Amino acid sequence: MEPSRGLASFDHELGRIESLLLEMGGVVEVQIAEAARALVTRDAELGEQVRDNDSRVDEMEIEIDGLAVNLLSEHQPAAQDLRRVVSTLKVSASLERIGDYAKNVAKRTTVVAKEQPVGSAAATIRRMAKLTQGMLHEVLDAYVARDIATADEIRNRDEQVDQLHNALFRELLTVMMEDPRNITACMHLLFIAKNVERIGDHVTGMAEQIHYLVSGEVPSAERPKGDVTSYISVDAADVAEGR
Amino acid sequence: MEPSRGLASFDHELGRIESLLLEMGGVVEVQIAEAARALVTRDAELGEQVRDNDSRVDEMEIEIDGLAVNLLSEHQPAAQDLRRVVSTLKVSASLERIGDYAKNVAKRTTVVAKEQPVGSAAATIRRMAKLTQGMLHEVLDAYVARDIATADEIRNRDEQVDQLHNALFRELLTVMMEDPRNITACMHLLFIAKNVERIGDHVTGMAEQIHYLVSGEVPSAERPKGDVTSYISVDAADVAEGR
């Protein structure tokens, strides 16, 4: 049996929106990678470029949302089809926020590039960025393929990002206490690391959404929550005495 | 002419969703106020309570989103009505994020409460919190009333929050440099202040959305962007010499 013209056109339009989401995801991935590269190579100009490119991400969100709202308006889908369209709105919103975090990393890079380098902090942040970039790439593939197993695996992988973040947080607090001249750089590096950690959280949220979209159920097992930096304190006396 | 049964029911359902959004906004407002109070009174127990209450905010988002998707599914609205329903999804997502920021303030409060107080930082953060709380309250009223003038006014008010944040950021960097024993407290206070500043940004985003919902146009005038903390650096030598 031939699908009716209405149905074929709905799937076609939805496919077009999902292709745009993949394209938007690709732009955001590049933004993450370039922001991290600007940090490691202390390249303020590249940082500026990443900042400027964020407007492209914002434009793509507006374009995708417009197409999704048109699709709702013209086809008035129900049940699973409706859920599929609503999920495109959520994915585009997540990608826009991730783009914002990459932009913020790039903004702070212009200050960090002027300060003394702080140990291996930039390299650690780049490792975190690479992890989140890989997670983002795979989560979008899993989204289009409705691949619940990969989505669940990505959700667990965020713990690695959190662990790098925790270790870096402690290290930077210690470095600040040892020598106040490092404070400005460390402060911005802490905020940069937090931005990358938040990217991981957003990808995790996308993975949970895929689980829900495919199965109709919220993922049951409590995700391992690795970020404990809100609770970390380092004792200045310990630092002074090398404890 | 009597409205058709279908139309009346759509408006009724949408009104119900908007009432729930106001209720959710009320819960989030209390979360912001209580998180700030916990910080100022150094009340770790109250902080814990705010953390626990965040699940209520999350539940409300899920409830509202479910009602909105049902409304789309059953009434299949087009044009302006569709835009009104989609906007409820965006407002609930913003409120959930603002709730997350309040929770994060409360989490860090449990660490800050154990450290030496740092000047008037907590009081300044409470002022920022009060400003954003007022903005949030009014933006939700403006949303339900489709009041574009109030929305535009709130959008401009965010600059006051940003200015308090900038001044506090500089002050805390200076305090850290003067005495490394303050570093742990200052670090968390900087992240707390950043969270409150982000609440202001989200309220501003809601105000812009109201403008769009009512007029169909993105607000034209560039909003005054007051947050410059991504670029702030304080010179340790200046601090040491009291400059």
Side-chain angles (χ1 to χ4, degrees), chain A residues 65 90 176 188 231-232 234, chain B residues 65 90 176 184 188 232:
Chain A
D65 285 3
K90 301 225 172 214
M176 286 162 101
H188 288 289
Y231 300 109
I232 289 177
V234 172
Chain B
D65 285 2
K90 300 225 172 213
M176 287 161 102
T184 293
H188 288 288
I232 289 177

Side-chain angles (χ1 to χ4, degrees), chain B residues 164-220:
Chain B
L164 285 171
H165 183 228
N166 294 337
L168 183 64
F169 195 97
R170 279 180 201 281
E171 184 191 327
L172 288 171
L173 272 190
T174 306
V175 169
M176 287 161 102
M177 289 180 183
E178 281 167 356
D179 186 350
R181 282 171 299 181
N182 292 318
I183 284 178
T184 293
C186 287
M187 265 303 313
H188 288 288
L189 288 166
L190 282 166
F191 274 103
I192 288 172
K194 185 76 198 168
N195 281 320
V196 179
E197 189 263 333
R198 293 294 296 149
I199 291 176
D201 287 348
H202 275 272
V203 175
T204 302
M206 288 164 81
E208 287 171 359
Q209 211 192 303
I210 293 166
H211 187 109
Y212 176 73
L213 178 68
V214 177
S215 72
E217 278 167 27
V218 177
S220 57

Side-chain angles (χ1 to χ4, degrees), chain A residues 27-76:
Chain A
V27 174
V28 172
E29 267 184 61
V30 171
Q31 288 286 91
I32 298 171
E34 293 291 83
R37 190 162 69 88
L39 179 70
V40 170
T41 61
R42 309 169 66 74
D43 185 342
E45 205 173 312
L46 180 58
E48 287 286 328
Q49 203 179 303
V50 172
R51 276 183 62 200
D52 292 344
N53 287 347
D54 186 55
S55 58
R56 174 83 191 104
V57 177
D58 293 345
E59 284 162 15
M60 292 189 85
E61 188 198 16
I62 292 169
E63 185 186 354
I64 289 166
D65 285 3
L67 290 172
V69 169
N70 277 348
L71 188 59
L72 287 174
S73 189
E74 282 167 19
H75 290 266
Q76 297 158 346

